[in-house]
Amino acid sequence: MKRTRIIELLRGELVGQTVLVKGWVRTKRGNKAVSFIALNDGSIIHNLQIVVDLEKFDSELLAKVTTGASLSVTGMLVASQGQGQSVELQAHEIEVLGTADPATYPLQKKGHSLEFLREIAHLRPRTNTFGAIYRMRHHMAMAIHTFFHERGYFYVHTPLITASDAEGAGQMFQVTTLDLDNLPRTEDGAVDYREDFFARHTSLTVSGQLEGEMAALALGGIYTFGPTFRAENSNTPRHLAEFWMIEPEVAFLEIDENMDLAEDFIKYCVQWALDHCMDDLTFLAEHFDSELISRLRFVLEKPFKRMTYTEGIEILEAAIKGGRKFEFPIYWGADLASEHERYLVEEHFQRPVIVTDYPKEIKSFYMKLNDDGKTVRGMDVLFPKIGEIIGGSEREADLEKLMKRASEMGVPEKDIWWYLDSRRYGTAPHSGFGLGFERLLLFVTGMTNIRDVIPFPRTPRNAEF
Amino acid sequence: MKRTRIIELLRGELVGQTVLVKGWVRTKRGNKAVSFIALNDGSIIHNLQIVVDLEKFDSELLAKVTTGASLSVTGMLVASQGQGQSVELQAHEIEVLGTADPATYPLQKKGHSLEFLREIAHLRPRTNTFGAIYRMRHHMAMAIHTFFHERGYFYVHTPLITASDAEGAGQMFQVTTLDLDNLPRTEDGAVDYREDFFARHTSLTVSGQLEGEMAALALGGIYTFGPTFRAENSNTPRHLAEFWMIEPEVAFLEIDENMDLAEDFIKYCVQWALDHCMDDLTFLAEHFDSELISRLRFVLEKPFKRMTYTEGIEILEAAIKGGRKFEFPIYWGADLASEHERYLVEEHFQRPVIVTDYPKEIKSFYMKLNDDGKTVRGMDVLFPKIGEIIGGSEREADLEKLMKRASEMGVPEKDIWWYLDSRRYGTAPHSGFGLGFERLLLFVTGMTNIRDVIPFPRTPRNAEF
């Protein structure tokens, strides 16, 4: 007999049939005559209740049926008399595939802290919370691929190991095959990178954008979805050393359409969560964040507010005049801190906000310079609770202006000769943005620590598993 | 007016309408009265023919319309009189968005070698060949996600930076933030990894399998799809230092069902290519590999041949007795070389072959040991032209046997304590396999060098772009 997944059994269509189910014991309870086993197989957050007539089963076998044990159960699916479930399984045969010693199994008791579960990241997917989060992680990835595929964008894999640091987006991890105990040296005593695997100094990428642009200026619309790295020594609930980014780049797209794309995209993902993940969302809302589902609906309801950075500063300055206190000073030319972003989103406009036209000094060299010579066509999408969830821009398409900006920002021309080629030959207006996948997951799951939305987080002093 | 992509215009439904198209010039030809511009926007391999009445346009403008230039064109879409296209665009307005100087643009002339194009990997997506390959790369990724999503498998991101080398699958790249010019030392003179970012020696992963198993033994069925790394100094058409792998892991799945899954999976991908990529396939078949499409159909037609390693060795030994010569010796206990694999597939069985039950000595410690104590439940899927395209196994679910095998193969228990936990608590039969994404792409595109199926290849002494 073929195994049927619990998500299918709970639909109730197989009532009256003999079925085979396999999964892990969540709880066992009962009385002298009957045991009730809550079995979970990961396909859905809900358990299947297994009803065991104790007269029919060996007590030694049942003694092994403890929390965490894996079972194979054959039985009759019937409508349930109990509350909280529509069907249950009357067990005919039970096989214990793997035991879990109650004396040592770490998930024996309920109510572990998220901190403790991070230390057993290899087992935490067996909990309701992380089952829900990882199923939603899958669904968000699928939403992203589906969104772009249906619109004719092509998925592009940009390189992870890179010889350039053109983004200047933070400290990078070095990648090497040199023997650190026996480094080759040049005549003047420097490390001789000609001996390294790539015959040069290489690092892990901080963004696939520049390579993505090369593809967009040939294929039209593309997106990346891959890991990126930051060697920042930031031990905070918002930082990971290794995380996943989605970076669409689109030829012939200007800033207004780029905002449309970003808004459509993120609304599509949130709508997908509501359409496909309601069981998991309901669990997460009940246990972690009662406003989760209403917050998701909230971002879908209204168009995002669009305004310039300059307008944003004016609003913040007016708020300060009106007595609003902020921790960090804010003035034209300063970057918005998270508290400023959240004020605009949560208090002033009470909806997601897209801020555009930032001072060029606080943005990357590749952003298109406005005619004012002072601001660039960057755009940040600000979300409730999260702050910046998307950062993007129209890209500078003009070769001369791009070279001037690169020079001003200290990006060496020799590192980006190939990037400049795309403006030298057949340049075109184009735009793109980056979404941190884990930021999206924080938003749709309601979790508050980024280490809880990626299976095996990488943070300073932590690369376990 | 909104831009319409060429893939939509070529469907012909907009004939008689004024449309806006943007793209890059592939060629321009004509006579004294009229110019024909072949415009491509990456959405499809075919160009749109733009018909330019020379009387209506400034000759200075048209002089800038050279190969590689990007244009914005408004005009009337009409049925085409010419051969080779169904529709064409009668230009009303032309704007040159970006020029491409014919004196220096590297793709000016046709018929560049693949070797030359590798040196300009940032521009090669602008060619027909690489446009086709990258569109197919997207389609194969989408096929993979769709296949698993529809079957209830969850996409899992396993870590890239790892502290363990349990796979022992080859040389690894070291990841570090230590300053190589000024390495911290312990008292006995060794490099002091307590000062490194992760406070230990870390590397880039060679596989996400072990972490994937942790997720499968909670969520049921999962798959990974991410980059993996090998620091092998192999400068061959089959090796990359950075490549993408797909690794499904499935709880409660035994070896026979694992073979079913692998066969269904790869046939699904090949069928998707035939269903969605026929324009690109036709181009690649015409220019590189005339048997490409028939080879794809060939793998779909028959069930894959399944046999044990021992049977395979007998067939090869019989062939040698019959006079067949091989470069490498083959005997029970030796790994199959590519020539042996291709003999079995292309000559003996003339269909894809799944070889199972390999000698334990030539396979990894985590493969389930058969009752004979000599062989393990590994399985390799062998394909025409490619050789091994998938490698997998049923995993050892028994804690004692797994620890014994790890010890025999020299895998330290302290590196895999968490992996062993999954057998200690609620272990279950489970299986999985790995598909090298670029191997699949070689097969479906007919290309012969793996550097031509990934946008920015990473190979020894090469990390450009």
Side-chain angles (χ1 to χ4, degrees):
Chain A
M1 198 186 307
K2 280 226 162 202
R3 152 175 109 96
T4 307
R5 292 178 309 144
I6 289 173
I7 191 172
E8 288 159 43
L9 295 177
L10 293 182
R11 288 193 194 117
E13 291 155 15
L14 299 178
V15 162
Q17 296 189 24
T18 299
V19 298
L20 169 64
V21 62
K22 298 182 182 184
W24 292 270
V25 176
R26 286 292 167 84
T27 59
K28 186 177 75 171
R29 61 186 179 79
N31 52 40
K32 282 182 187 170
V34 63
S35 261
F36 300 101
I37 301 167
L39 197 75
N40 188 284
D41 70 0
S43 62
I44 186 170
I45 197 160
H46 303 302
N47 303 320
L48 179 68
Q49 175 158 289
I50 314 282
V51 183
V52 185
D53 182 347
L54 296 183
E55 276 195 358
K56 295 186 187 154
F57 289 89
D58 183 54
S59 63
E60 263 182 58
L61 175 89
L62 290 176
K64 292 180 188 166
V65 176
T66 59
T67 297
S70 67
L71 304 187
S72 172
V73 183
T74 313
M76 169 81 75
L77 194 72
V78 298
S80 177
Q81 273 90 57
Q83 282 193 324
Q85 65 257 338
S86 56
V87 298
E88 61 190 26
L89 192 72
Q90 289 177 338
H92 298 161
E93 275 181 66
I94 298 177
E95 185 187 354
V96 178
L97 300 171
T99 58
D101 182 357
T104 60
Y105 184 52
L107 296 172
Q108 183 59 23
K109 289 176 198 156
K110 282 199 171 187
H112 295 293
S113 71
L114 295 173
E115 289 76 12
F116 171 73
L117 292 173
R118 263 170 237 147
E119 288 169 24
I120 51 167
H122 61 306
L123 296 177
R124 68 179 181 172
R126 301 181 181 197
T127 63
N128 282 330
T129 299
F130 287 91
I133 292 168
Y134 297 156
R135 280 186 294 270
M136 289 194 68
R137 194 173 164 107
H138 163 77
H139 271 286
M140 287 301 92
M142 200 63 209
I144 289 162
H145 284 295
T146 306
F147 176 87
F148 288 118
H149 177 71
E150 286 179 348
R151 283 155 187 77
Y153 293 70
F154 302 107
Y155 181 32
V156 169
H157 289 132
T158 49
L160 285 300
I161 300 173
T162 176
S164 75
D165 179 20
E167 272 265 32
Q171 283 177 282
M172 297 173 87
F173 289 102
Q174 183 170 356
V175 174
T176 182
T177 55
L178 295 177
D179 178 0
L180 267 52
D181 287 318
N182 191 14
L183 286 169
R185 302 276 175 187
T186 60
E187 278 181 18
D188 57 2
V191 174
D192 189 355
Y193 284 110
R194 290 172 306 182
E195 301 282 312
D196 208 347
F197 189 90
F198 297 107
R200 57 206 295 182
H201 185 286
T202 51
S203 309
L204 289 175
T205 189
V206 297
S207 163
Q209 177 198 316
L210 303 191
E211 290 90 352
E213 287 183 52
M214 300 305 97
L217 290 169
L219 300 172
I222 66 96
Y223 66 107
T224 71
F225 188 165
T228 47
F229 305 87
R230 294 279 189 289
E232 271 175 75
N233 200 359
S234 301
N235 239 323
T236 83
R238 292 165 53 91
H239 288 87
L240 289 169
E242 175 184 308
F243 56 99
W244 288 67
M245 287 258 284
I246 297 93
E247 299 186 287
E249 283 293 327
V250 194
F252 311 116
L253 202 75
E254 301 184 25
I255 188 70
D256 287 333
E257 294 164 300
N258 199 29
M259 287 192 264
D260 294 341
L261 181 69
E263 183 169 343
D264 289 350
F265 169 59
I266 205 149
K267 283 182 169 174
Y268 184 92
C269 293
V270 171
Q271 186 66 57
W272 182 295
L274 290 169
D275 291 345
H276 294 83
C277 309
M278 196 45 90
D279 288 338
D280 290 323
L281 279 173
T282 303
F283 175 87
L284 293 169
E286 279 171 9
H287 289 79
F288 294 97
D289 181 353
S290 59
E291 291 170 20
L292 173 61
I293 295 169
S294 61
R295 198 181 311 113
L296 299 190
R297 295 215 166 101
F298 165 81
V299 304
L300 295 178
E301 275 165 18
K302 299 182 206 167
F304 295 179
K305 172 67 188 174
R306 299 179 184 191
M307 61 165 197
T308 65
Y309 167 89
T310 302
E311 289 167 336
I313 295 296
E314 284 164 8
I315 289 166
L316 289 164
E317 285 174 341
I320 291 167
K321 264 193 191 151
R324 183 68 160 81
K325 301 267 183 255
F326 293 104
E327 190 183 346
F328 295 99
I330 188 69
Y331 50 88
W332 202 98
D335 216 345
L336 300 180
S338 184
E339 57 176 343
H340 306 127
E341 294 174 345
R342 293 187 61 177
Y343 173 81
L344 293 171
V345 171
E346 295 169 20
E347 298 182 44
H348 190 82
F349 290 111
Q350 299 190 358
R351 60 168 111 174
V353 173
I354 309 182
V355 181
T356 58
D357 302 294
Y358 285 82
K360 65 179 179 181
E361 288 80 8
I362 60 172
K363 290 292 182 185
S364 301
F365 78 96
Y366 49 70
M367 294 195 183
K368 183 178 171 70
L369 191 66
N370 281 316
D371 290 341
D372 63 14
K374 292 196 306 183
T375 59
V376 289
R377 287 194 197 167
M379 60 168 221
D380 284 357
V381 181
L382 311 181
F383 252 44
K385 259 193 114 176
I386 305 292
E388 182 194 328
I389 193 164
I390 279 178
S393 75
E394 186 170 339
R395 314 310 187 188
E396 183 57 77
D398 182 274
L399 179 64
E400 299 303 320
K401 289 182 191 166
L402 182 64
M403 287 171 73
K404 184 158 176 286
R405 288 291 297 138
S407 161
E408 283 170 13
M409 305 292 277
V411 179
E413 211 176 299
K414 70 169 176 49
D415 284 1
I416 53 166
W417 64 270
W418 50 275
Y419 185 69
L420 297 174
D421 263 6
S422 66
R423 275 57 165 182
R424 191 170 278 124
Y425 304 116
T427 189
H430 64 288
S431 299
F433 59 81
L435 168 76
F437 189 50
E438 285 76 18
R439 289 269 174 97
L440 173 65
L441 281 164
L442 285 177
F443 184 73
V444 296
T445 64
M447 304 305 287
T448 53
N449 192 315
I450 202 161
R451 293 160 205 215
D452 295 331
V453 296
I454 190 167
F456 297 95
R458 295 301 184 234
T459 52
R461 308 185 69 78
N462 175 34
E464 192 66 83
F465 314 109
Chain B
M1 200 186 305
K2 279 226 162 200
R3 153 175 108 95
T4 308
R5 292 179 309 145
I6 289 173
I7 191 173
E8 289 159 44
L9 295 177
L10 293 183
R11 288 193 193 115
E13 291 155 15
L14 299 178
V15 162
Q17 296 189 25
T18 299
V19 298
L20 169 63
V21 62
K22 299 182 182 182
W24 292 270
V25 177
R26 285 292 166 83
T27 58
K28 186 177 75 172
R29 61 186 179 80
N31 52 40
K32 282 181 186 168
V34 63
S35 261
F36 301 101
I37 302 167
L39 198 75
N40 189 284
D41 68 2
S43 63
I44 188 170
I45 196 159
H46 303 301
N47 303 320
L48 178 67
Q49 174 157 288
I50 314 282
V51 183
V52 184
D53 182 348
L54 296 183
E55 275 195 357
K56 296 185 187 156
F57 289 89
D58 182 55
S59 64
E60 263 182 56
L61 174 91
L62 290 177
K64 293 180 188 166
V65 177
T66 60
T67 297
S70 67
L71 305 186
S72 172
V73 183
T74 314
M76 170 81 76
L77 194 71
V78 298
S80 178
Q81 272 91 55
Q83 283 193 323
Q85 65 257 338
S86 55
V87 298
E88 61 190 25
L89 192 73
Q90 290 177 337
H92 298 160
E93 275 181 66
I94 298 178
E95 184 187 355
V96 178
L97 301 170
T99 57
D101 182 356
T104 61
Y105 184 52
L107 296 173
Q108 183 59 23
K109 290 178 199 155
K110 282 199 171 186
H112 296 293
S113 71
L114 295 173
E115 289 75 13
F116 171 74
L117 293 173
R118 264 171 237 148
E119 289 168 22
I120 49 167
H122 61 307
L123 296 177
R124 67 179 181 173
R126 302 180 181 198
T127 64
N128 283 330
T129 299
F130 287 91
I133 292 168
Y134 296 157
R135 279 186 295 269
M136 289 194 68
R137 194 174 164 106
H138 163 77
H139 271 286
M140 287 300 91
M142 201 63 208
I144 288 163
H145 283 296
T146 305
F147 176 86
F148 288 118
H149 177 70
E150 286 178 347
R151 283 155 188 77
Y153 294 69
F154 301 108
Y155 181 32
V156 170
H157 289 131
T158 49
L160 285 299
I161 299 174
T162 177
S164 76
D165 179 19
E167 272 265 33
Q171 284 177 281
M172 298 173 86
F173 289 102
Q174 183 171 356
V175 174
T176 184
T177 54
L178 294 178
D179 177 0
L180 267 53
D181 287 319
N182 191 14
L183 286 169
R185 300 278 177 186
T186 60
E187 279 181 17
D188 57 2
V191 173
D192 189 355
Y193 284 109
R194 291 172 304 182
E195 302 281 312
D196 208 347
F197 188 89
F198 297 107
R200 58 205 296 183
H201 185 285
T202 51
S203 308
L204 290 175
T205 189
V206 297
S207 163
Q209 178 198 315
L210 303 192
E211 290 90 352
E213 287 183 51
M214 300 305 97
L217 289 169
L219 300 172
I222 67 96
Y223 66 107
T224 72
F225 188 164
T228 47
F229 305 88
R230 294 279 189 290
E232 271 175 74
N233 201 358
S234 301
N235 239 323
T236 84
R238 291 166 53 91
H239 289 86
L240 290 169
E242 175 183 307
F243 56 99
W244 288 68
M245 287 258 284
I246 297 94
E247 299 186 287
E249 282 294 326
V250 194
F252 311 117
L253 202 76
E254 300 184 25
I255 186 70
D256 287 334
E257 295 165 300
N258 199 29
M259 286 192 264
D260 295 342
L261 181 69
E263 183 169 343
D264 289 350
F265 169 60
I266 204 148
K267 283 182 169 174
Y268 184 93
C269 293
V270 170
Q271 186 67 56
W272 183 296
L274 289 169
D275 290 345
H276 295 83
C277 309
M278 196 45 90
D279 287 340
D280 290 324
L281 280 172
T282 302
F283 175 87
L284 294 169
E286 278 171 9
H287 289 80
F288 294 97
D289 181 352
S290 59
E291 291 168 20
L292 173 60
I293 294 169
S294 60
R295 197 182 309 113
L296 299 190
R297 295 214 166 102
F298 165 82
V299 304
L300 295 178
E301 275 165 19
K302 299 182 207 167
F304 294 1
K305 173 68 188 173
R306 300 178 184 191
M307 61 166 197
T308 64
Y309 167 89
T310 302
E311 289 167 335
I313 295 295
E314 284 165 8
I315 289 165
L316 289 163
E317 284 174 342
I320 291 166
K321 264 194 192 152
R324 183 69 160 81
K325 300 269 183 252
F326 292 105
E327 191 183 343
F328 295 99
I330 188 70
Y331 50 89
W332 202 98
D335 217 345
L336 301 179
S338 185
E339 58 177 342
H340 305 126
E341 294 174 344
R342 294 187 61 176
Y343 173 81
L344 294 170
V345 171
E346 294 169 20
E347 297 181 43
H348 190 83
F349 290 111
Q350 299 191 359
R351 59 168 112 172
V353 173
I354 308 182
V355 181
T356 58
D357 302 293
Y358 284 82
K360 65 179 178 180
E361 288 79 10
I362 60 172
K363 291 291 183 184
S364 300
F365 77 97
Y366 49 69
M367 294 195 183
K368 183 178 172 71
L369 192 65
N370 281 317
D371 290 340
D372 63 13
K374 292 195 308 184
T375 59
V376 290
R377 287 194 196 167
M379 60 168 221
D380 285 357
V381 181
L382 312 181
F383 253 43
K385 257 192 117 177
I386 305 293
E388 182 195 327
I389 193 164
I390 279 177
S393 75
E394 186 170 339
R395 314 308 187 187
E396 183 56 76
D398 182 273
L399 178 64
E400 299 303 321
K401 289 183 190 164
L402 183 63
M403 286 171 72
K404 182 157 178 285
R405 289 289 299 138
S407 161
E408 284 171 12
M409 304 291 277
V411 178
E413 211 177 300
K414 69 168 177 49
D415 284 3
I416 54 166
W417 65 270
W418 50 275
Y419 185 69
L420 296 175
D421 263 6
S422 67
R423 275 57 165 182
R424 191 170 278 123
Y425 304 117
T427 189
H430 65 287
S431 300
F433 58 83
L435 168 77
F437 189 50
E438 285 76 18
R439 289 269 174 98
L440 173 65
L441 281 164
L442 285 176
F443 185 73
V444 296
T445 64
M447 303 305 287
T448 54
N449 191 315
I450 202 161
R451 293 161 206 217
D452 294 331
V453 295
I454 190 167
F456 297 95
R458 295 300 185 237
T459 53
R461 307 185 70 76
N462 176 34
E464 191 65 85
F465 311 109

